[in-house]
Amino acid sequence: MAAESGRQFWKRSAKLPGSIQPVYGAQHPPLDPRLTKNFIKDRSKANALPMKSKKASSFHEFARNTSDAWDIGDDEDEDFSSSSSSLQTLNSKVAKATAAQVLENHSKLRAKPERAQSTLNDVPSNCKVIKSSSEAQLSRTAEEACVRTPLQKQQSLPLRPVIPLVARISDQNASGAPPMTVREKTRLEKFRQLLSSHNTDLDELRKCSWPGVPREVRPVTWRLLSGYLPANMERRKLTLQRKREEYFGFIQQYYDSRNEEHHQDTYRQIHIDIPRTNPLIPLFQQPLVQEIFERILFIWAIRHPASGYVQGINDLVTPFFVVFLSEYVEEDVENFDVTNLSQDVLRSIEADSFWCMSKLLDGIQDNYTFAQPGIQKKVKALEELVSRIDEQVHNHFRKYEVEYLQFAFRWMNNLLMRELPLRCTIRLWDTYQSEPEGFSHFHLYVCAAFLIKWRKEILDEEDFQGLLMLLQNLPTIHWGNEEIGLLLAEAYRLKYMFADAPNHYRR
């Protein structure tokens, strides 16, 4: 029965040629049996009779053994499986138990304002520093944890600090910044000269954008680098008008079909995933914003039947939406009420987000087609690359039977968006759009550099369970421009060494 349901999982729908139903995806690595509540029982059996864990012989077998991350029943009344419920409950308790410690760390940072300000970036000097709702919520969580009784020690899983998502996904780009330095003013002026020229030199614009794009000029720079806008200044206004009208023509033509039977699964999955997109940022929980995201994702899925909608694509809309929203908002973006904007402005942001996301996905669409071959290839390439870069880390994974697919699948599927704060993703995408094949090719070297960044923590873990929990909860909560700059520099070094000599990382 399980094998039969697994085959049905990957079966193409006869109603809509080229589509895949049900909508599939993997925003999280597969859960190993040793991470469930039966860990103690399995472990005792293993001590009595040593057994080697069975590895998936194919990607399809891997998929059959992997449950959908959000396959949890109805939208309103959802029942989690016993294993995932146990793990989620544990993570929730551990998060609350360590909230006080995280708050103490925040207090230390606030005691050193010069250090805290160093992570703020790309914001106009006239923007006020506002305490975000994320920080307020973090404080409340910590206070609740302080008054509760201590948690009993879990036997099946060791206590490990879990970084609260509230700080991971906050958009620091819109939360205030110190006054611009002379160097930053010079860079901003350079961008303005390039963008105001009759024909923008795109090669020079990419060169200037590689180390980051100033917030003031990021929206138009992203439109140009993604190929959405032409380099010729005189054609830009007409192009924007035509493309925006074309998008809303798609809305009139296709959006009503979401109620048709053969599109119900696609629309239902999108409708489920939208509220889970950055759930702790107030901006993305506004009904009007969620309606915009639903339209963008549904129209994209209808126009790309070879892949349709896949879980993870919903995350790729958020950086574009925030960047194009910041063109009209100077205050705290993550708490901004979009109902204060005019209908024409919202329509412009929606259409621009759709087209730029489409341009991005055009280069990595094989990540989301049937069986997701693009991700398979990238995960395998990452494994081969790491085996040459740091053989000790690679052998450490082999010793404890950690498969790269178990953690790197999400890195490729979501472009590291689940591992980094949103402010870091935006900065990372400045460089990705400056690099040839940045989202498809250069991303591999960024993932390799990101993995090796944690080599000490990885080597300190000496069991499968600890390694996988570490790789799923990497402490990037306080990362900013400096950390991303160092990561990109190391990724560029790896690309320079290995990209033109692929045999160097093949066994």
Side-chain angles (χ1 to χ4, degrees):
M1 180 66 68
E4 179 63 25
S5 63
R7 284 192 292 271
Q8 292 295 327
F9 182 80
W10 292 101
K11 191 173 182 180
R12 293 174 180 269
S13 172
K15 297 179 181 178
L16 184 60
S19 69
I20 302 168
Q21 295 183 353
V23 178
Y24 65 93
Q27 293 196 10
H28 300 276
L31 294 176
D32 191 272
R34 286 171 287 188
L35 289 177
T36 67
K37 65 180 181 180
N38 297 324
F39 174 69
I40 299 177
K41 186 184 297 183
D42 296 341
R43 189 170 161 186
S44 61
K45 290 181 180 180
N47 292 334
L49 181 62
M51 294 179 64
K52 187 174 182 181
S53 61
K54 183 179 178 183
K55 298 181 180 179
S57 59
S58 67
F59 184 78
H60 291 276
E61 185 173 345
F62 163 75
R64 285 196 295 270
N65 295 327
T66 306
S67 59
D68 191 317
W70 303 124
D71 189 12
I72 52 179
D74 295 335
D75 302 2
E76 303 296 334
D77 193 12
E78 300 165 334
D79 296 325
F80 290 88
S81 64
S82 60
S83 61
S84 62
S85 177
S86 174
L87 183 62
Q88 187 179 39
T89 302
L90 174 65
N91 283 343
S92 177
K93 291 181 178 179
V94 175
K96 293 175 181 177
T98 58
Q101 181 179 357
V102 174
L103 180 61
E104 183 180 352
N105 293 338
H106 274 257
S107 300
K108 291 179 180 179
L109 285 176
R110 287 195 293 269
K112 299 179 180 179
E114 68 280 357
R115 181 178 175 184
Q117 284 187 346
S118 65
T119 61
L120 303 175
N121 57 83
D122 294 343
V123 186
S125 57
N126 62 350
C127 195
K128 296 182 179 179
V129 180
I130 305 172
K131 181 176 180 180
S132 66
S133 63
S134 301
E135 188 177 349
Q137 187 171 353
L138 178 66
S139 301
R140 289 195 299 271
T141 304
E143 291 171 1
E144 291 173 3
C146 291
V147 299
R148 292 180 181 175
T149 57
L151 296 174
Q152 295 182 352
K153 184 176 181 181
Q154 302 290 332
Q155 294 181 357
S156 59
L157 289 174
L159 289 177
R160 171 183 301 282
V162 177
I163 304 300
L165 289 178
V166 64
R168 173 181 296 177
I169 59 179
S170 63
D171 179 20
Q172 203 172 48
N173 279 314
S175 302
M180 294 177 64
T181 64
V182 175
R183 180 176 178 274
E184 290 171 340
K185 290 181 179 178
T186 303
R187 290 192 70 241
L188 178 59
E189 186 60 31
K190 173 68 173 176
F191 271 93
R192 284 174 171 162
Q193 289 177 2
L194 283 169
L195 297 173
S196 62
S197 60
H198 182 70
N199 283 293
T200 300
D201 187 341
L202 294 180
D203 291 334
E204 185 65 22
L205 184 62
R206 291 188 184 96
K207 181 179 178 181
C208 293
S209 301
W210 206 100
V213 181
R215 182 180 187 267
E216 294 85 350
V217 294
R218 184 175 277 139
V220 64
T221 301
W222 275 27
R223 292 188 188 103
L224 285 165
L225 293 179
S226 65
Y228 175 45
L229 273 187
N232 185 276
M233 172 71 78
E234 296 177 355
R235 295 174 50 207
R236 291 178 193 171
K237 186 176 180 180
L238 290 176
T239 299
L240 278 178
Q241 182 180 351
R242 176 174 57 83
K243 297 297 286 185
R244 289 167 179 172
E245 290 176 355
E246 184 178 356
Y247 168 72
F248 284 100
F250 294 151
I251 296 292
Q252 294 178 357
Q253 183 177 357
Y254 297 117
Y255 195 57
D256 287 341
S257 67
R258 68 189 185 280
N259 299 316
E260 298 176 5
E261 183 181 356
H262 56 282
H263 289 157
Q264 276 291 298
D265 288 340
T266 296
Y267 180 71
R268 178 180 180 275
Q269 189 64 55
I270 292 173
H271 188 73
I272 291 173
D273 287 348
I274 293 301
R276 295 168 173 146
T277 304
N278 290 348
L280 298 178
I281 291 185
L283 173 67
F284 299 116
Q285 297 309 303
Q286 297 177 39
L288 193 57
V289 174
Q290 293 184 355
E291 291 174 10
I292 289 173
F293 276 45
E294 282 187 5
R295 288 194 293 269
I296 289 173
L297 294 172
F298 184 77
I299 296 303
W300 189 89
I302 293 298
R303 298 187 71 248
H304 296 81
S307 62
Y309 172 75
V310 179
Q311 287 179 319
I313 294 179
N314 55 307
D315 287 330
L316 305 183
V317 185
T318 57
F320 291 115
F321 186 83
V322 169
V323 167
F324 296 139
L325 176 62
S326 68
E327 192 171 19
Y328 303 94
V329 179
E330 294 184 357
E331 53 192 271
D332 185 15
V333 172
E334 69 180 38
N335 294 299
F336 182 76
D337 184 359
V338 297
T339 58
N340 294 325
L341 296 175
S342 68
Q343 187 66 25
D344 289 341
V345 167
L346 287 173
R347 287 168 62 91
S348 299
I349 295 172
E350 178 178 349
D352 293 355
S353 299
F354 169 81
W355 285 114
C356 288
M357 186 199 74
S358 298
K359 292 285 187 179
L360 185 160
L361 288 171
D362 285 347
I364 58 171
Q365 192 170 350
D366 60 344
N367 284 8
Y368 306 105
T369 54
F370 181 68
Q372 298 179 268
I375 293 180
Q376 295 183 60
K377 293 175 184 177
K378 290 182 177 70
V379 171
K380 182 61 178 176
L382 177 65
E383 180 177 358
E384 294 172 344
L385 184 57
V386 172
S387 70
R388 290 302 183 187
I389 296 170
D390 197 322
E391 190 172 7
Q392 187 178 4
V393 169
H394 178 72
N395 290 336
H396 194 69
F397 286 152
R398 296 182 63 183
K399 178 180 179 181
Y400 296 105
E401 299 181 342
V402 174
E403 298 292 330
Y404 284 75
L405 202 62
Q406 291 169 323
F407 62 89
F409 191 94
R410 185 172 77 178
W411 295 9
M412 304 300 177
N413 192 56
N414 298 85
L415 298 177
L416 287 176
M417 288 192 64
R418 293 297 174 108
E419 325 310 320
L420 299 171
L422 182 55
R423 61 181 178 271
C424 293
T425 296
I426 291 173
R427 167 63 191 91
L428 191 66
W429 284 21
D430 287 343
T431 300
Y432 279 5
Q433 297 197 80
S434 307
E435 274 281 323
E437 299 180 320
F439 292 96
S440 57
H441 184 62
F442 188 61
H443 181 66
L444 167 66
Y445 298 97
V446 172
C447 288
F450 185 67
L451 181 63
I452 301 305
K453 162 76 177 174
W454 311 104
R455 75 179 310 276
K456 181 182 182 299
E457 291 81 356
I458 289 171
L459 295 176
D460 286 344
E461 296 290 346
E462 296 184 347
D463 60 84
F464 171 89
Q465 172 186 321
L467 280 167
L468 212 56
M469 290 185 69
L470 169 68
L471 292 167
Q472 293 180 22
N473 296 280
L474 291 168
T476 60
I477 180 175
H478 296 299
W479 274 32
N481 275 5
E482 183 178 354
E483 289 81 3
I484 294 298
L486 293 172
L487 179 69
L488 289 167
E490 177 63 15
Y492 185 81
R493 185 185 71 85
L494 295 176
K495 177 189 173 187
Y496 182 80
M497 293 176 62
F498 294 99
D500 295 328
N503 289 331
H504 286 183
Y505 63 80
R506 287 180 181 168
R507 289 190 175 277

